[in-house]
Amino acid sequence: MEKFVLSSVFMASLLAVSSTPVEGSRYKVVGSPEPIVAAPGDDVILSCQVEPKLNVEGLTVEWSDPDLKPDPRDRLKRVDFVHLYRHYKEDPNMQLEAYRGRTMLFKDGLKHGNISLKIFSVSEEDGGRYRCLIPKLGGQTQSSIISLVIDSAKTRTTKTPLGLIIPRSSKESGKLQDRGKPQDRDHQKWLVPVVVVSVFLVLGFGLYKFCVSKKKSEVPPI
């Protein structure tokens, strides 16, 4: 009887343990549901997040092209990544040549589950689907697909980096020209009083000549 009770308790404990979700099973990777539209030359952010928030600094984060096929000449059938983060750092050794020096993760955001990828200066060749994946997340949804559309008719929206001088429009340049240079304004400031003084001098000299000639005409002849 005791053996039966012990066996029952053991089986119940085993079932309880086996039915308990493994760590991380409640987490999932969620990407932008809408296509991201950008103009050639834009810097874009492919939004991707672990929900609920989870510190993923110690996990591997893979960004890849799901439509890219392995090189048939490669015996290991490896596919390089758009961006690879592992061992607490970014790994450029397995990155596609076209993306080297053009991608980054937000390292401060990794502790909050933010695995969004920023791509600098996109071109039409960058358009397509991207997969963000955490292989060891342990959840049902470990990856998400984000679409990037490059629209050449769209106006470029990339902000000018700090420290660069933004060219002024011709209208603004015209206004600046109308205002004149500081030296010109100084000359104009001194020109007015000089003209006024000159006018008074001319009038004074003319009045003096008039008075002298009038006195001479009034003196009686001897």
Side-chain angles (χ1 to χ4, degrees):
M1 183 69 179
E2 285 185 19
K3 291 184 178 180
F4 176 76
V5 172
L6 291 174
S7 299
S8 300
V9 172
F10 176 75
M11 290 299 295
S13 300
L14 185 61
L15 288 172
V17 171
S18 62
S19 62
T20 302
V22 296
E23 184 179 358
S25 63
R26 65 192 183 95
Y27 296 102
K28 60 182 179 178
V29 175
V30 180
S32 174
E34 299 294 330
I36 297 171
V37 182
D42 277 352
D43 298 341
V44 300
I45 296 176
L46 305 181
S47 179
C48 201
Q49 174 76 37
V50 176
E51 295 183 355
K53 292 182 179 180
L54 173 70
N55 187 343
V56 297
E57 289 179 306
L59 300 180
T60 297
V61 178
E62 300 176 357
W63 277 90
S64 60
D65 179 354
D67 301 317
L68 185 64
K69 304 300 180 184
D71 187 343
R73 296 170 295 180
D74 187 354
R75 294 180 180 179
L76 299 178
K77 303 297 181 182
R78 294 173 300 182
V79 176
D80 287 341
F81 299 95
V82 173
H83 194 95
L84 176 62
Y85 172 91
R86 61 181 178 178
H87 307 313
Y88 294 91
K89 62 181 181 180
E90 291 165 324
D91 185 355
N93 295 324
M94 296 185 64
Q95 188 176 24
L96 291 165
E97 184 68 30
Y99 293 95
R100 287 189 181 176
R102 298 178 50 230
T103 60
M104 63 166 281
L105 294 179
F106 298 91
K107 292 186 178 179
D108 292 339
L110 291 175
K111 62 184 67 175
H112 305 295
N114 180 8
I115 57 174
S116 300
L117 180 71
K118 184 170 184 177
I119 305 178
F120 296 92
S121 188
V122 296
S123 63
E124 293 185 2
E125 288 76 15
D126 295 324
R129 301 194 306 159
Y130 292 81
R131 176 189 287 122
C132 57
L133 167 70
I134 300 183
K136 296 182 180 180
L137 185 60
Q140 294 180 352
T141 306
Q142 298 181 352
S143 66
S144 183
I145 301 293
I146 298 98
S147 296
L148 174 62
V149 178
I150 306 300
D151 186 357
S152 57
K154 189 175 184 291
T155 305
R156 184 179 177 184
T157 57
T158 302
K159 294 182 179 179
T160 304
L162 295 177
L164 295 183
I165 300 174
I166 303 175
R168 297 181 180 271
S169 65
S170 57
K171 190 174 183 180
E172 291 176 329
S173 300
K175 289 181 180 179
L176 289 176
Q177 291 174 358
D178 292 341
R179 292 175 186 172
K181 298 180 179 179
Q183 294 179 350
D184 295 339
R185 291 198 297 270
D186 292 340
H187 290 161
Q188 293 174 2
K189 183 172 65 176
W190 287 105
L191 184 61
V192 173
V194 169
V195 171
V196 172
V197 171
S198 300
V199 170
F200 275 105
L201 288 175
V202 171
L203 291 175
F205 182 74
L207 182 61
Y208 170 77
K209 293 289 288 183
F210 174 76
C211 292
V212 170
S213 61
K214 186 175 181 182
K215 284 183 179 181
K216 286 183 179 180
S217 62
E218 291 177 353
V219 175
I222 299 175

